[in-house]
């Protein structure tokens, strides 16, 4: 007997499918004048080192471009003897179209691979999906990740219950 079973579930909840092509710019402290991350625990860089990040996310690669979103969260070295960085952060959009909406992301970096989208708010309520990330530039404690975002979300604005919601929530 396998230790798992999987079966399809018929689901009538309408989902929207989202693709985005963006770049995440990581600028470590050290020689960089304007870092967008900071070690807050364990400055040795070893096991347990934890840093806070406010990475910029742009349409064109490079931290000098205006951010369309920020990648705000934490990353932590949780493996030994090799380093392995676990991170969990919010992608919070700042552009006119999706301002204030978030995608909630977790995974391992910097190795090329996939991160999970485990939630979302605003336009991207109940998002789930993946972000394929590939390092395309790396020098002097700076990295640029190409992000291929692929998610499904539920658009609450187009909910069938919108008239019920309006009746039940005064001031909304
Ligand atoms: C959600 O649905 C509304 C109404 O159909 C639409 O105007 C809006 O653009 C949709 N938003 C997203 C992020 O899909």
């Amino acid at each position: 007997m396998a230790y798992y079973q999987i079966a399809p579930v018929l689901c009538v909840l309408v989902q929207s499918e989202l693709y985005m092509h963006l770049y995440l710019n990581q600028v470590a402290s050290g020689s960089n004048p304007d870092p967008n991350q900071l070690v807050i625990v364990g400055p040795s860089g070893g096991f347990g080192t934890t840093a806070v990040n406010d990475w910029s996310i742009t349409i064109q690669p490079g931290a000098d471009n205006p951010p369309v979103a920020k990648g705000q969260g934490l990353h932590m070295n949780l493996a030994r003897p090799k380093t392995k960085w676990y991170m969990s952060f919010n992608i919070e959009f700042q552009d006119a179209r999706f301002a204030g909406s978030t995608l909630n992301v977790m995974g391992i970096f910097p190795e090329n691979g996939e991160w999970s989208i485990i939630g979302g708010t605003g336009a991207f309520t109940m998002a789930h999906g993946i972000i394929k990330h590939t390092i395309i530039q790396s020098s002097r404690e700076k990295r640029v990740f190409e992000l291929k975002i692929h998610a499904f979300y539920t658009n609450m604005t187009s909910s069938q219950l919108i008239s019920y919601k309006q009746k039940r929530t005064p001031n909304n």
Side-chain angles (χ1 to χ4, degrees):
M1 265 294 266
Y3 75 93
Y4 61 88
Q5 289 188 320
I6 296 173
V9 176
L10 289 179
C11 180
V12 293
L13 193 63
V14 174
Q15 304 249 293
S16 301
E17 186 173 8
L18 172 74
Y19 278 101
M20 284 183 172
H21 187 201
L22 293 169
Y23 297 90
L24 184 150
N25 307 282
Q26 182 189 19
V27 184
S29 52
S31 51
N32 293 308
D34 192 18
N36 59 20
Q37 61 177 48
L38 179 72
V39 171
I40 53 171
V41 175
S44 66
F47 185 53
T49 299
T50 302
V52 59
N53 49 270
D54 186 7
W55 296 323
S56 73
I57 297 176
T58 53
I59 295 172
Q60 300 297 329
D64 299 336
N65 294 298
V68 74
K70 304 301 276 308
Q72 297 172 326
L74 294 170
H75 56 280
M76 180 185 303
N77 180 8
L78 48 50
R80 53 205 172 92
K82 258 187 96 183
T83 55
K84 185 177 191 177
W85 294 90
Y86 163 83
M87 42 129 240
S88 94
F89 67 93
N90 291 330
I91 295 182
E92 185 176 320
F93 287 85
Q94 298 186 333
D95 63 325
R97 178 67 178 87
F98 299 119
S101 296
T102 65
L103 293 171
N104 316 124
V105 181
M106 61 181 278
I108 298 294
F109 86 107
E111 296 80 11
N112 295 341
E114 292 178 353
W115 297 325
S116 304
I117 297 171
I118 56 172
T121 64
F124 306 126
T125 317
M126 294 195 279
H128 53 113
I130 53 165
I131 300 180
K132 286 193 176 155
H133 58 94
T134 311
I135 296 172
I136 58 159
Q137 290 171 23
S138 183
S139 68
R140 294 184 59 83
E141 298 164 77
K142 287 187 190 182
R143 285 197 198 99
V144 179
F145 295 81
E146 180 182 35
L147 306 183
K148 289 183 176 162
I149 296 173
H150 187 188
F152 294 90
Y153 61 91
T154 303
N155 185 342
M156 298 292 213
T157 314
S158 60
S159 161
Q160 296 298 306
L161 293 177
I162 205 80
S163 58
Y164 175 83
K165 186 181 124 191
Q166 278 158 358
K167 260 184 269 164
R168 300 293 298 190
T169 41
N171 313 320
N172 186 10

